[in-house]
Amino acid sequence: MNAAARRVAWVTGGGSGIGRALALRLAREGWVVAISARRTELLQETAGLAKGSIHAFPLDVTDTAAVRVTAERIESQFGPLQLAVLNAGMGEFVKLDNFHATTFAAHMQVNYLGVVNGIEAVLPTLRRRHDGHIVIVASVAGYRGVPRAAAYGPTKAALINLAESLRFDLEREGIQISICNPGFVDTPMTAGNRFPMPFLMQVEDAAEVLYHGIMQQKFEIAFPRRFVLLLKIFRCLPYALYFPLMRKFAGIRSHHHE
Ligand SMILES: NC(=O)c1ccc[n+]([C@@H]2O[C@H](COP(=O)([O-])OP(=O)(O)OC[C@H]3O[C@@H](n4cnc5c(N)ncnc54)[C@H](OP(=O)(O)O)[C@@H]3O)[C@@H](O)[C@H]2O)c1
């Protein structure tokens, strides 16, 4: 009876930032949370903050076989997985002076195919039980092409499209899928940014909104609200308006000869 009451979640990228804050939030609500990332020490440190509730499963999400084995290990230790938050990701800015195909490949491998690996790993158990929830962490940078995100943005756009596409088949099998699109959140990923980050959110607040969105089984969980609204308006604009507005917003001068 106890085992049935224990809801089991898996959070990738759970040793830092948004994943870590969400893992702690879920643990506070009584979930058993498996967290994965490459750096074992960060995973163990996070697990140590909620002993008995958070458990470390070191993993590189680009390793398809290892992702599958990890999902199986989590289930055999804790029981059926109810929630998989595929959040692991990387983000590097690209300028024309450092345009390297390897950077683009790495972003696709981790951000996009890493999530695909996670879906493949949890799909059999969710389908067998006609239950469960997959949450993909993308970004508002996936809405439209934004400055310097040429390697990062397309991976997030791909994730949004992936979630939309899969929803049609998953919902018929009783499986939920959600896409989380954060704006700027204060995490190790953004700590080195040397430009003003509009509407920057604290990581605990981001995790709180994400947690409630998951509980409400929203399809899109996007925050902070005002920034998302602005970018959704940008998304609808014709190019003749989008480019000048985004240039102004991002403080970029046009070198177009006018
Ligand atoms: N912070 C923001 O403003 C923001 C905005 C929009 C979207 N997001 C998205 O939110 C997610 C979490 O990012 P964050 O801001 O919380 O930054 P973060 O603290 O850097 O978290 C990223 C996590 O992903 C893990 N990771 C990276 N590569 C991995 C790999 N190959 N295998 C397994 N784990 C890997 C990292 O751990 P290891 O390095 O130890 O593996 C780390 O725990 C990302 O998908 C990011 O794109 C963030």
Side-chain angles (χ1 to χ4, degrees):
M1 205 176 109
N2 249 351
R6 281 200 332 172
R7 293 164 298 171
V8 180
W10 181 24
V11 181
T12 68
S16 63
I18 297 170
R20 177 181 188 266
L22 180 70
L24 290 167
R25 186 69 181 82
L26 287 165
R28 245 173 54 207
E29 299 296 327
W31 288 72
V32 175
V33 190
I35 53 171
S36 292
R38 294 163 303 175
R39 285 168 293 174
T40 309
E41 57 298 349
L42 289 185
L43 294 175
Q44 278 164 354
E45 197 184 302
T46 305
L49 297 172
K51 284 204 186 72
S53 297
I54 300 184
H55 304 267
F57 287 82
L59 173 69
D60 185 329
V61 295
T62 64
D63 183 340
T64 308
V67 176
R68 203 181 303 132
V69 168
T70 301
E72 285 163 8
R73 280 182 49 217
I74 293 167
E75 285 219 328
S76 66
Q77 281 194 36
F78 307 118
L81 201 59
Q82 255 115 30
L83 173 66
V85 184
L86 305 172
N87 157 80
M90 61 178 290
E92 284 171 22
F93 293 112
V94 169
K95 291 185 183 157
L96 297 183
D97 293 337
N98 64 356
F99 192 107
H100 302 296
T102 48
T103 310
F104 288 71
H107 279 80
M108 271 294 171
Q109 286 295 338
V110 176
N111 294 5
Y112 183 66
L113 296 173
V115 167
V116 172
N117 286 337
I119 296 172
E120 188 200 278
V122 300
L123 210 45
T125 174
L126 302 189
R127 292 189 75 191
R128 223 176 296 121
R129 292 182 285 118
H130 297 288
D131 187 27
H133 192 169
I134 297 168
V135 178
I136 296 173
V137 179
S139 167
V140 294
Y143 288 165
R144 263 199 121 144
V146 295
R148 289 178 293 267
Y152 178 78
T155 68
K156 299 302 191 178
L159 288 174
I160 295 169
N161 197 295
L162 171 77
E164 288 172 359
S165 172
L166 285 177
R167 188 177 190 210
F168 294 102
D169 281 339
L170 290 175
E171 69 183 358
R172 291 195 310 153
E173 299 211 7
I175 301 165
Q176 306 293 321
I177 185 160
S178 299
I179 188 85
C180 170
N181 293 321
F184 290 112
V185 182
D186 190 7
T187 70
M189 188 180 276
T190 51
N193 288 356
R194 274 167 293 140
F195 55 86
M197 292 183 274
F199 304 97
L200 179 69
M201 243 178 137
Q202 293 310 303
V203 72
E204 291 79 15
D205 298 334
E208 189 67 20
V209 178
L210 177 53
Y211 172 78
H212 285 290
I214 294 170
M215 292 306 120
Q216 290 160 18
Q217 302 194 331
K218 282 190 181 172
F219 175 69
E220 188 190 18
I221 307 164
F223 48 80
R225 201 179 305 172
R226 279 184 299 165
F227 192 43
V228 168
L229 180 67
L230 181 73
L231 294 174
K232 282 194 170 172
I233 293 168
F234 276 21
R235 181 164 66 169
C236 303
L237 296 176
Y239 287 132
L241 287 173
Y242 172 66
F243 285 120
L245 273 175
M246 183 50 95
R247 249 182 235 121
K248 188 169 256 177
F249 191 71
I252 294 171
R253 264 174 219 217
S254 169
H255 287 283
H256 209 278
H257 11 268
E258 286 161 358

